[in-house]
Amino acid sequence: MKICMYLKYYNPPSALLASGSKEGVELGGTKSIISIDLCHNFYTESMIYTEMSWGVFYRDIEGLEDQIDTFTTKEYDSIREDPEALANTIIKSIQNIMLNNRVFYGIGDFEVDAFMNQNTVIPGLTLERDLINKLMEAHKKNRDEEQFPKLIITDQDMTYINITLQGTNKYKIQLKGETFRDIASNLKKARGSSTGIVVSSNKSANFFMMNDTIVFKEEEIPEFYIDQDCITVIESGMQRELLFPISWFRFDLGISSLETLELWNQINENTNLKKVLSEYDKYISDLIENIK
């Protein structure tokens, strides 16, 4: 497998590009279906929802300069409460994945709260108040000085950003394997989720994996942990103005990640969905058996 310094994230969700200024800040979240290719580049196959707003700070009111006064919707598109649309979107996503010789990676959640919330907002992650405060301070400084990097790149009509995956257990989300067969095999067995913080540098969005519940065997039982090494790197990078906190993330891995969707119990008996899932299972089996 080709090893690159940076991975690419094609058609990245809006939450990964969020920024702010003295006047306001981007807030919201996205949930999407993600696939990967042989080099482990990420692709947004479809959006389950995008809810992004611009929050304007109070002006000329002492003590409220960092409080949101008004919200304006920037992007809103959601199928998470529409069973038929959700099923059709999953079907089209899986068909596109097979057509382009990629693999279903999982469901990606990105939440942007400008780190103004004293509690983490991504399910499955709990961090110390001291770190949250440092993220809040760094985000405010970056807003005031408008330091957020412009990461989006367009190449042959495709947009992408460079990304890195960081963490002691990053092999669980950047799956081990010398061949596409290895990657597909590991992803087929993967269960669980990882959570963390997206912190940008001048060249890439860096996914710092703080904890995970990912297992590759049925009998494995994950242990809770917080990656302290990641925290040290993030704090040092923010202090040196080399890293800029952007959002929270959560990856639910594998085709089983569809079961985490709120409407899964309403769509899992959909005839067309069951058919395409069966086709995908055969596609993966052929991939594992035939590709070296």
Side-chain angles (χ1 to χ4, degrees), residues 65-216:
E65 298 88 349
D66 296 325
Q67 301 297 313
I68 302 297
D69 181 17
T70 61
F71 291 92
T72 302
T73 299
K74 290 187 64 177
E75 293 182 67
Y76 182 84
D77 189 15
S78 176
I79 57 170
R80 58 178 170 176
E81 296 178 353
D82 185 335
E84 182 177 359
L86 181 58
N88 289 336
T89 295
I90 295 170
I91 290 167
K92 290 177 182 177
S93 297
I94 293 175
Q95 289 173 335
N96 194 59
I97 289 169
M98 293 188 290
L99 181 64
N100 288 283
N101 299 311
R102 296 198 285 261
V103 178
F104 189 106
Y105 181 73
I107 304 293
D109 280 282
F110 303 95
E111 296 290 339
V112 182
D113 66 345
F115 300 95
M116 293 190 293
N117 193 328
Q118 288 291 334
N119 302 299
T120 52
V121 296
I122 204 75
L125 180 60
T126 302
L127 296 175
E128 294 292 334
R129 181 65 57 86
D130 181 60
L131 176 59
I132 303 295
N133 288 338
K134 289 178 180 178
L135 291 167
M136 293 170 66
E137 292 167 6
H139 199 280
K140 181 182 184 308
K141 187 175 189 298
N142 299 336
R143 295 196 305 268
D144 291 345
E145 299 178 4
E146 298 190 14
Q147 295 189 75
F148 294 99
K150 305 295 188 228
L151 299 178
I152 199 76
I153 299 169
T154 301
D155 182 22
Q156 297 181 349
D157 297 326
M158 295 190 71
T159 60
Y160 69 89
I161 59 174
N162 292 318
I163 67 169
T164 69
L165 303 177
Q166 308 290 339
T168 302
N169 289 343
K170 69 177 183 180
Y171 71 90
K172 291 186 176 183
I173 55 174
Q174 187 173 347
L175 299 158
K176 286 183 176 180
E178 294 298 321
T179 68
F180 206 18
R181 175 173 61 184
D182 295 335
I183 294 172
S185 178
N186 285 330
L187 198 50
K188 183 177 181 179
K189 294 179 288 187
R191 300 287 187 277
S193 64
S194 66
T195 61
I197 306 171
V198 181
V199 184
S200 291
S201 61
N202 285 324
K203 294 183 179 180
S204 64
N206 308 291
F207 290 71
F208 282 89
M209 178 178 168
M210 288 294 170
N211 75 346
D212 76 271
T213 60
I214 298 170
V215 297
F216 298 96

Side-chain angles (χ1 to χ4, degrees), residues 43-67:
Y43 297 78
T44 299
E45 292 291 342
S46 57
M47 299 303 299
I48 296 170
Y49 72 83
T50 299
E51 299 173 357
M52 296 295 296
S53 298
W54 178 256
V56 178
F57 296 123
Y58 280 98
R59 297 179 182 177
D60 304 322
I61 301 179
E62 187 175 351
L64 295 178
E65 298 88 349
D66 296 325
Q67 301 297 313

